[in-house]
Amino acid sequence: MVPRNSGKIKTSYGNQVTNKPANKAILANQRRQQEHNARVKAKQDQRSQKPPSSRFFTIFLFLAFLPLFSSFVTQSYTFNLSPYLLPPLRRFWTESSLNPWRREMKVFSPVQLAMYDGREDMPVYLAIDGVVYDVSANRRIYGKGGSYNMMAGRDASRAFVTGCFETHLTHDIRGLSSNEMASLNHWKSFFANSDKYLKVGTVLNPPINPKTPLPSPCRAIGSDSSNDPQAPGAAAAERGKAKPGPVRGH
């Protein structure tokens, strides 16, 4: 407000009002509003002048508090989201160009991949649907003498879901049922999200001639796969049953 002029007072909006008792309430309300606006502006100026280090410290405290709160509520530091968040993050970091220690992905021919069949002086690789994984962490199963050594050094996608470890060691997945394809996708997800098995590249499988006959159906061979519901192909061998889980020891 400005000083009185000819018996009138200029409001904060620029209006001229008379200095009579009826206008005092309006003027008092405008004065309070001006004081409130001044306090709000002062706080905003104070925040804008707050050093960045102080803001970072506040954010750090908040992020540090989240795991403790999660542990109290869910008995987990990640709100039980680790199975869903960590595998994608691990895959991204493993293959990202931002990772200076990332492993270069290789492209194998079937002959080259066959060299990684579990022999002592070489890592153990296997492929599923064209993607190659290093399974050396479980050489007991996939190495020489292991229960599933026949899967090493090749792309045996079909055997993963049929359990035919003699005649279905091929990447030919033509003619598989919807349940068997679901089982194959299960195994692909299992290896892709595994903590122990790392993706190392891809294999250039030879194209399948559509005129060649489909692999003959068979029963799962071997007592291990026929009696163990968690062995590759055991559950997919019979249609309508649940998808197989990881092999024991994986």
Side-chain angles (χ1 to χ4, degrees):
M1 294 186 299
V2 298
R4 298 181 181 183
N5 183 16
S6 302
K8 292 186 177 182
I9 298 177
K10 188 176 183 180
T11 68
S12 58
Y13 299 104
N15 301 325
Q16 296 286 341
V17 297
T18 59
N19 187 21
K20 58 183 181 180
N23 291 331
K24 289 184 178 180
I26 298 175
L27 296 174
N29 181 62
Q30 289 183 354
R31 184 170 58 252
R32 287 193 297 269
Q33 185 64 36
Q34 286 179 326
E35 293 173 353
H36 172 73
N37 292 340
R39 287 194 298 268
V40 171
K41 187 176 184 304
K43 289 182 179 180
Q44 291 176 344
D45 293 341
Q46 185 178 7
R47 290 195 191 100
S48 63
Q49 296 174 0
K50 194 175 183 180
S53 58
S54 178
R55 291 197 295 269
F56 292 149
F57 182 70
T58 302
I59 295 174
F60 172 78
L61 288 180
F62 174 74
L63 295 177
F65 171 76
L66 282 180
L68 298 177
F69 177 73
S70 173
S71 177
F72 176 77
V73 175
T74 66
Q75 307 300 316
S76 165
Y77 289 113
T78 59
F79 295 95
N80 291 324
L81 296 177
S82 296
Y84 308 99
L85 296 179
L86 293 184
L89 290 175
R90 188 182 298 110
R91 287 199 305 273
F92 171 78
W93 180 246
T94 300
E95 302 177 15
S96 173
S97 58
L98 300 176
N99 181 4
W101 302 282
R102 70 186 178 103
R103 178 182 296 188
E104 293 294 334
M105 296 292 107
K106 299 179 181 179
V107 179
F108 298 86
S109 68
V111 174
Q112 292 171 327
L113 183 59
M115 298 175 61
Y116 300 88
D117 61 353
R119 60 192 69 181
E120 290 297 330
D121 57 339
M122 299 286 284
V124 187
Y125 292 173
L126 64 75
I128 180 167
D129 201 21
V131 182
V132 181
Y133 294 95
D134 185 342
V135 294
S136 303
N138 214 341
R139 188 178 289 270
R140 179 179 61 85
I141 288 180
Y142 293 111
K144 291 296 183 182
S147 304
Y148 300 104
N149 174 245
M150 77 288 291
M151 314 290 277
R154 67 177 83 217
D155 186 337
S157 298
R158 193 178 193 90
F160 266 99
V161 297
T162 64
C164 299
F165 299 131
E166 290 185 358
T167 59
H168 283 188
L169 296 175
T170 174
H171 63 284
D172 186 356
I173 57 175
R174 295 175 302 153
L176 293 180
S177 67
S178 58
N179 285 336
E180 289 169 332
M181 288 302 299
S183 178
L184 178 63
N185 290 331
H186 163 80
W187 279 105
K188 289 166 61 177
S189 176
F190 167 74
F191 281 102
N193 296 323
S194 172
D195 292 331
K196 296 193 297 183
Y197 306 142
L198 296 178
K199 177 182 175 181
V200 294
T202 56
V203 57
L204 293 176
N205 289 316
I208 301 295
N209 187 343
K211 295 182 180 180
T212 58
L214 297 177
S216 301
C218 71
R219 297 182 59 185
I221 299 174
S223 58
D224 287 343
S225 60
S226 59
N227 295 329
D228 186 354
Q230 296 187 14
E238 298 182 28
R239 297 185 180 184
K241 291 191 176 181
K243 298 189 294 291
V247 178
R248 290 193 181 107
H250 278 217

